[in-house]
Amino acid sequence: MVKIQFPRRKKSLDLLEFALILGIVVLLNTFVAVYFFRLDFTEDKRYSVSPQAKDILSKLDDPITIEIYLTGKLDPDYERLRRAIEDKLEQFKVYSGSELTYRFVDPSAETDEAIRERQMSMLMQKGVQPMVYQKEEGGKKEQVRIFPGAIMTYKEREVPVQFIKGVRFSDPATYVNQAVESVEFELLQALRKLSSEDFVDIAFIEGHGELGEQDASSFIRTIGNYYSIQRVNLSKDTSLSRFKAVVVAQPQLSFSEQEKFVLDQYLMRGGSLLYLIDPLEVRQDSLKNGETFAVIKNLNLDDQLFKYGVRVNTGLLQDLQCGIIPVQTGMNGETQLLNFPYYPLFYNFSTHPIVKNLDAVYGKFSSYIDTVKTTGVNKYPLIYSSSNARTVAAPLQIDLDALRKDATPEKFNQGGLIIANLMEGKFTSLYKNRPSPIPGTTVIADAIKPGKVEVVADGDLMINDWDPASKQPLPLGYDKYTRTQFSNSDFLLNSLDYLTGQPLIMVRSKDIVLRPLNKFKVQDERLYWQVINLVVPALLVVIIGIALYVIRKKRYSRFGNGSN
C-alpha cells in the first residue's frame, strides 16, 4: 500500500477557501444585524408589514403589551387565524424597537368552573366577545366557545381588539379568511386609539333637525377617540376650510341656497362631505298601533347631490334579509318578534377599503341610490341590498298585517340596489353659471382640488338605541331583540377615515387568497399522499447515499491503480 501525498499548495488553498467563506458569513451576519430587511415572495404579500404600520410602531415611546385569547385546541380554520395573529405580532416586534410584547392566554384552561366563568365574564365586560362554533371530531359534534380577541395595554390604558365580529353570512372558512386579512388593521386601529394625540377637526352640521348628541351619542363617543367634533350652523358660520370633513346627518328641514352654497364651495376647495339622507319621514312610534305612514321630505338637496353624481330616490326599500320587531298578536297585549322588511340587513359590499371585510350593517327605513353621469368624478358603490329586495313608492302606508301577507320571495326581485355610494374627483359647482347666493362672494365654478362625497340613503345608520333599565345608550348597531352587534359603527368610522385621508384605512385593502383543499379528493387520495410523503424522502436518501458511495469509490480507485 503506497501512501498518497497531497501537495502543500492544495492545503493552503483549502485554508484560504475556508477563511474566505467564514469572512463572508461574518460580514453577512453583521450587515443583517445593522440593516434589517425582509423579503416576502408570497403572491398576496401576507408576511409584509404596511408602511402605515411601520410608521405607527416606530413612534412608540412606551412598552405595549398584548394578551391574545384565541388559543387552545382549535379547528384548523381558527388555528390559521391564531398563527396569522402570531406572525403579525412577530413582525410588529421588529419594527417597534422591542417595545412590544405579547402572550397567548387560554380562557378555558382554568379547571375551576366558577373562576373560569368569572374570568370570561370580565373579558366580555372589557369588550372581547366570545363566539360559538360547532366542532365535529370522531363522529361527535360539540359546541366550542372561543374568544377571537385580545386586550392591548399602553401607558396604563387598554382597549379590546376583536378579530371576528358580529354576524356572518358566509361559511367559516370565508369569514375566518376575512379576519386573517384584517388582523393588521384591527391591531393598528387599537394602537391608534391608544397612542393618538393629534385629533382631526370635523364638522357636524346643525340647524335642520339633524341628529343630536343623544341620538348619535354612541358613534360620537367612538370617533371622539380620533376626531375633534364641532357643531356648525351654516347660516352663521360660512367658512368650513378648517375642517377635514363635514357630516350632514339625517336632516329633517330644508336647506337654504346660501347654506348649500357654503357646502358646495367647501367641496370645490377639496373638502370631503358625508351625507346620511332619509328622503322620507316615517313616524316609528305609530308602529305600536300596527301601522304608520311614510311621506316625502323636502330637504332641497336633490339638485346638489344630482350635480355631484347621485340621486337619492323617494321610495323605501324592503328586504327579506331583515331585522325583527315586536308585534302585538293577542288581545291581552301578547307580542311576538316578526321579520320586518323595512329593517334591512346589508351584507353585500364592494371591495373598497371602506367596506372591505365589513360585517353586516343594520338599516331602518332605507332608501336607495341611482348614479348619474358626471365628468371628472369616479363613483364607487359601497353597500348593496340583498338579492331578495324590492322598492315601494312614496307616499305610502306601512301596515304590519298587510306586510305579513305580502312577504313572498317571488315579489322581492330587485336585488343589488345601491344604499351607499362614494364619489371622488374634481367636481363641478352647482352654482356654475349662476349668481352667488351670498352677495359679494365669488363662485368657484370648477373644483380647485379633488374632493370626496359619500352619500348614504339611510340616516338611521348613525342612531343608537337606549337601554331602558340603565338609561344608557346601547352600542351603535346593537340589536336589543336579537342581542346582535352589527357593523354600523365600523362602516361610519371607516368612511370618516377615508374622507379625511387617514392612511391607516388603506391597510384594509390587503387581499389574502384563500386556497382551500378539495376535501373529497383529500379523502380519496389520502393513502397515496401518505406513501409519497413517507417513502419517497427515505428512498431519496438511500439513492443519494449509494450514488455518493459509487462516486467516492471510483475517485479513490484511480489513486490505487496509479500507485501499483
Side-chain angles (χ1 to χ4, degrees), residues 78-134:
Y78 299 104
E79 177 62 28
R80 177 168 167 261
L81 175 59
R82 191 204 68 79
R83 289 198 306 269
I85 296 169
E86 186 173 16
D87 290 342
K88 190 59 63 177
L89 289 175
E90 278 296 318
Q91 297 170 44
F92 279 13
K93 282 182 68 175
V94 174
Y95 293 103
S96 69
S98 300
E99 293 285 0
L100 186 148
T101 58
Y102 69 90
R103 68 187 184 110
F104 284 85
V105 179
D106 186 358
S108 61
E110 176 59 52
T111 55
D112 188 302
E113 184 178 356
I115 297 176
R116 183 172 66 249
E117 291 300 321
R118 193 182 309 120
Q119 291 175 344
M120 290 182 176
S121 178
M122 288 179 62
L123 281 180
M124 289 187 278
Q125 290 175 9
K126 289 183 177 182
V128 180
Q129 299 304 318
M131 69 172 292
V132 178
Y133 70 92
Q134 191 162 298

Side-chain angles (χ1 to χ4, degrees), residues 404-420:
R404 282 197 293 269
K405 299 173 184 177
D406 201 30
T408 56
E410 295 78 15
K411 296 181 179 180
F412 289 76
N413 54 8
Q414 292 179 266
L417 298 168
I418 301 173
I419 311 301

Side-chain angles (χ1 to χ4, degrees), residues 387-451:
S387 57
N388 298 115
R390 70 178 181 184
T391 60
V392 287
L396 72 147
Q397 179 183 7
I398 300 172
D399 189 318
L400 296 181
D401 289 331
L403 203 59
R404 282 197 293 269
K405 299 173 184 177
D406 201 30
T408 56
E410 295 78 15
K411 296 181 179 180
F412 289 76
N413 54 8
Q414 292 179 266
L417 298 168
I418 301 173
I419 311 301
N421 197 86
L422 171 72
M423 296 152 287
E424 54 183 326
K426 286 195 171 184
F427 293 85
T428 300
S429 172
L430 174 65
Y431 297 92
K432 184 176 183 178
N433 300 323
R434 292 171 56 181
S436 170
I438 300 178
T441 304
T442 304
V443 176
I444 302 175
D446 296 293
I448 301 171
K449 299 178 182 178

Side-chain angles (χ1 to χ4, degrees), residues 498-517:
Y498 188 83
L499 293 173
T500 57
Q502 167 58 240
L504 184 58
I505 191 66
M506 300 313 296
V507 177
R508 294 180 62 87
S509 62
K510 178 177 282 190
D511 287 308
I512 294 180
V513 181
L514 183 62
R515 299 181 175 90
L517 296 175

